[in-house]
């Protein structure tokens, strides 16, 4: 993709985010950007140089554990060894689609969880199992620590794969919608700490994929993660489920946006995405009626 096309795409993503933030702000005042970014809503500008297509390679982020896929496919490093970025399958004639769910929890939200706020969504996971929808869960390490039993259950179920959404859900590029920023060394350590949290919880179906908090990245962020040997995974379909109250509107946005090879970003956080499970119940049968097959991100990257 040319730089000019990428700039247009980035501008479009920014417009989508701006609309979402305005809707969450609740009025004419400044939107709650930090809250939106915590939910992994689309951020705009990505580096053009790092997003060029690359050949697949088989380097996992770490030695596979027993029961985990031996070598989930990854992409080869981008220019100058930068972490590669995947947005949509290059093979765009096969009617496959990946539903991805961000299990967001920041490092400072423990007190809110202790007070009863639910950052998990067991009903959504149950529905995905019932509907037999293979899915990729982008999980923060802090979420895995808060819900270790659920992290293990998801991470030992062949229906799912767990990918890395950082430990702290802090920004890897600044500014990023009010999120605290990490420097390069802290960013690299944050990724390792999340993988360690998954292992500690007993999750084995982990894959060497990473999603930037808020979707924010640049060349410096891609360079900081280059030694982690992960593939950064973005998306081409925004569900709009963060803070949504109308499951029908979320479903319609997904159904309108999906194309062969699409990656859909949704959320697995009950308190901040309360209608996602109901939206999925509408999305899945309709896409199957249209001839789509649901796959994990690893299958899209492997095409």
């Amino acid at each position: 993709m040319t730089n000019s096309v990428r700039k247009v795409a980035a501008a479009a993503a920014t417009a989508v985010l701006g609309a979402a933030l305005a809707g969450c702000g609740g009025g004419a005042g400044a939107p709650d950007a930090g809250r939106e970014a915590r939910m992994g809503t689309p951020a705009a500008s990505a580096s053009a140089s790092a997003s060029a297509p690359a050949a697949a390679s088989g380097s996992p982020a770490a030695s596979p554990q027993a029961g985990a896929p031996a070598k989930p496919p990854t992409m080869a490093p981008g220019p100058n060894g930068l972490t590669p970025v995947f947005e949509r399958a290059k093979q765009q004639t096969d009617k496959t689609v990946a539903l991805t769910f961000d299990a967001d929890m920041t490092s400072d939200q423990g007190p809110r969880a202790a007070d009863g706020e639910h950052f998990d969504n067991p009903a959504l996971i149950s529905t995905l199992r019932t509907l037999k929808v293979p899915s990729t869960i982008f999980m923060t390490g802090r979420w895995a620590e808060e819900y270790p039993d659920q992290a293990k259950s998801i991470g030992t179920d062949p229906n799912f794969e767990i990918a890395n959404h950082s430990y702290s859900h802090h920004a890897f590029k600044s500014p990023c919608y009010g999120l605290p920023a990490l420097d390069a060394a802290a960013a690299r350590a944050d990724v390792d700490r999340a993988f360690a949290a998954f292992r500690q919880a007993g999750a084995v179906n982990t894959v060497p994929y990473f999603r930037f908090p808020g979707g924010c990245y640049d060349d410096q962020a891609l360079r900081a993660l280059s030694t982690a040997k992960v593939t950064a995974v973005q998306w081409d379909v925004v569900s709009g489920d963060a803070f949504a109250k109308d499951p029908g509107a979320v479903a319609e946005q997904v159904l309108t946006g999906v194309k062969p090879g699409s990656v859909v970003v949704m959320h697995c956080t009950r308190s901040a995405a309360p209608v996602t499970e109901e939206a999925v119940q509408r999305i899945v049968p309709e896409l199957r009626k249209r001839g789509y097959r649901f796959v994990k991100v690893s299958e899209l990257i492997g095409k």
Side-chain angles (χ1 to χ4, degrees):
M1 186 181 291
T2 65
N3 285 351
S4 61
V5 172
R6 290 191 179 280
K7 288 177 181 177
V8 171
T14 305
V16 171
L17 177 63
L21 289 177
C24 290
D32 189 350
R35 181 180 73 159
E36 192 75 7
R38 287 167 189 259
M39 286 299 295
T41 32
S45 35
S47 159
S49 64
S51 299
S57 75
S59 300
S63 299
Q65 304 176 51
K71 284 188 176 182
T74 56
M75 293 171 62
N80 301 313
L82 296 181
T83 297
V85 180
F86 177 82
E87 296 174 352
R88 182 183 170 208
K90 288 188 292 183
Q91 169 53 265
Q92 296 175 0
T93 56
D94 186 11
K95 295 184 81 170
T96 53
V97 58
L99 298 186
T100 70
F101 299 88
D102 291 358
D104 290 344
M105 187 171 180
T106 63
S107 56
D108 61 350
Q109 288 177 330
R112 288 167 56 179
D115 285 342
E117 183 170 347
H118 291 282
F119 297 92
D120 61 341
N121 195 339
L124 170 62
I125 298 300
S126 178
T127 292
L128 293 171
R129 285 174 168 141
T130 299
L131 296 176
K132 296 181 170 53
V133 180
S135 306
T136 304
I137 311 297
F138 284 86
M139 188 179 292
T140 65
R142 184 63 187 86
W143 194 99
E145 287 181 348
E146 188 67 29
Y147 306 106
D149 292 344
Q150 292 186 56
K152 181 177 181 179
S153 177
I154 294 168
T156 53
D157 185 337
N159 202 55
F160 302 115
E161 60 189 11
I162 292 179
N164 195 313
H165 194 32
S166 81
Y167 174 83
S168 64
H169 206 276
H170 287 177
F172 284 57
K173 170 187 177 293
S174 184
C176 184
Y177 313 114
L179 290 175
L182 302 172
D183 63 24
R188 179 66 177 83
D190 204 67
V191 173
D192 290 341
R193 189 176 179 187
F195 278 125
F198 305 156
R199 290 192 297 270
Q200 180 66 30
V204 294
N205 297 333
T206 58
V207 288
Y209 309 144
F210 178 80
R211 177 165 284 165
F212 288 97
C216 304
Y217 71 93
D218 56 12
D219 277 2
Q220 183 175 343
L222 295 173
R223 191 172 297 111
L225 298 191
S226 61
T227 57
K229 301 194 182 303
V230 295
T231 293
V233 175
Q234 295 289 91
W235 53 81
D236 67 303
V237 179
V238 179
S239 70
D241 67 337
F243 311 109
K245 297 181 180 179
D246 182 354
V250 173
E252 184 59 30
Q253 187 157 317
V254 172
L255 294 171
T256 300
V258 164
K259 301 178 289 292
S262 280
V263 176
V264 181
V265 59
M266 305 184 81
H267 294 88
C268 186
T269 312
R270 207 181 338 170
S271 63
V275 302
T276 304
E277 187 264 339
E278 189 175 344
V280 165
Q281 292 191 43
R282 304 183 187 197
I283 292 165
V284 170
E286 178 58 30
L287 284 179
R288 282 178 169 153
K289 188 186 302 182
R290 297 179 187 182
Y292 278 90
R293 179 170 63 90
F294 295 96
V295 299
K296 304 169 191 173
V297 168
S298 55
E299 184 169 336
L300 284 187
I301 292 180
K303 288 186 176 295

